[in-house]
Amino acid sequence: MKQYKAIADYYDAEYAGLPMLDQDVPFFLSHLPKRRQNVLELAAGTARAAIPIAQSGHRVVAVDYAADMLAIAEQKRDSVGLTNRELTLLHRDVLKLNLNEKFDHVCIFFNTFYNFTTLDEQDRFLQVARRHLKPTGKLWMDIYNPDLELLSKKHLQQIDPAIFYVPSLDRSVQRDTELVQDHANQVQHVTFHYRWFDADAVEQHEQVKFNLTWLMPRELQLLLERNGFQITRLYGDYDGSAMTGDSPRIISVSRLRR
């Protein structure tokens, strides 16, 4: 498996302004009780979600395997005045995680669950989530609803073009995406193509390659049930609408099966 390994300096600038990233955390927070909750975020990246959750008064433990992403997360956390007690950042493999602690909520945002492309990895992830949930706790997963028309095309190039500015590098970067579908294994081979001009006006190129899977709503339900969860709510978008075939998102809230 080629796991997603972002260019850390690009990450926040690359996704700034994406509408869903202005909506997912407020929607999650609207489902939390007003009293202080203990929240475990898995695959937290640069703490884009973890910081506002902690700023809302909840205790957050955020875990990621990428040290460079967590270094940025630490700088961001400290710059907004959060303490390590309010937001703990851990450099760990989420598939092997055992903190010997139970949380009110375990969450994974921004399609990140699709980075776990095999059934073994998905089961291991969900068992980690199960291990860290209180008996009354909730598992929150937010993934996109697969676009069947997109999936039907074997090879797509130069899709989702974007231009973003990276302040730390004083660099404007152009990115487009290439997809190759492996339907037999339910895997997308993804390549991000980056292009920019250096100080001498020479064009430079960089690539990030990784794999993603996809899940249909029934597949997600079966996967959760086989790992001891039961879906209690299933949303199709951040407006709280019910999941339908045309919904852009699959947002599931699950509890441990009794």
Side-chain angles (χ1 to χ4, degrees), residues 49-212:
I51 287 173
I53 295 170
Q55 287 175 317
S56 296
H58 305 292
R59 174 182 171 257
V60 183
V61 176
V63 182
D64 202 278
Y65 84 110
D68 50 0
M69 298 281 273
L70 287 173
I72 293 173
E74 184 174 3
Q75 293 172 3
K76 290 166 61 178
R77 178 195 65 187
D78 296 347
S79 72
V80 298
L82 289 170
T83 67
N84 182 67
R85 183 177 179 83
E86 294 165 317
L87 171 53
T88 304
L89 301 170
L90 296 178
H91 180 213
R92 306 280 176 84
D93 181 347
V94 299
L95 297 184
K96 300 177 181 177
L97 191 67
N98 189 356
L99 300 178
N100 295 310
E101 182 180 355
K102 304 287 187 180
F103 293 80
D104 299 299
H105 304 271
V106 175
C107 51
I108 183 165
F109 295 102
F110 195 28
N111 307 318
T112 308
F113 186 69
Y114 282 154
N115 284 280
F116 304 105
T117 59
T118 68
L119 283 173
D120 175 67
E121 290 166 346
Q122 292 164 2
D123 286 342
R124 288 165 63 195
F125 178 93
L126 291 172
Q127 286 303 310
V128 165
R130 181 179 176 84
R131 181 185 307 140
H132 289 90
L133 268 180
K134 293 179 179 179
T136 57
K138 299 291 178 59
L139 170 63
W140 183 278
M141 297 175 62
D142 185 358
I143 54 181
Y144 62 79
N145 191 15
D147 182 332
L148 297 181
E149 183 178 356
L150 190 71
L151 289 176
S152 70
K153 296 176 171 62
K154 178 69 175 177
H155 188 190
L156 290 164
Q157 295 177 282
Q158 297 181 330
I159 62 173
D160 294 333
I163 298 176
F164 55 93
Y165 176 69
V166 185
S168 62
L169 301 175
D170 190 23
R171 176 186 299 171
S172 292
V173 181
Q174 179 181 354
R175 187 204 73 202
D176 61 66
T177 304
E178 179 180 2
L179 295 177
V180 178
Q181 313 288 1
D182 178 356
H183 295 108
N185 293 300
Q186 203 159 320
V187 169
Q188 291 181 321
H189 304 290
V190 185
T191 304
F192 286 167
H193 297 277
Y194 298 98
R195 181 171 68 97
W196 74 94
F197 291 90
D198 64 20
D200 298 317
V202 176
E203 186 171 301
Q204 303 291 331
H205 297 266
E206 197 163 8
Q207 291 183 348
V208 169
K209 295 187 176 186
F210 58 99
N211 293 336
L212 293 175

Side-chain angles (χ1 to χ4, degrees), residues 5 12-13 15 24 27 39-40 42 68-69 105 108 110 123 148 156 182 200 213 228 238 242 250 252:
K5 183 71 165 66
D12 286 332
Y15 295 106
D24 61 346
F27 188 60
V39 178
L40 174 63
L42 300 175
D68 50 0
M69 298 281 273
H105 304 271
I108 183 165
F110 195 28
D123 286 342
L148 297 181
L156 290 164
D182 178 356
D200 298 317
T213 189
Y238 305 115
I250 305 174
S252 67

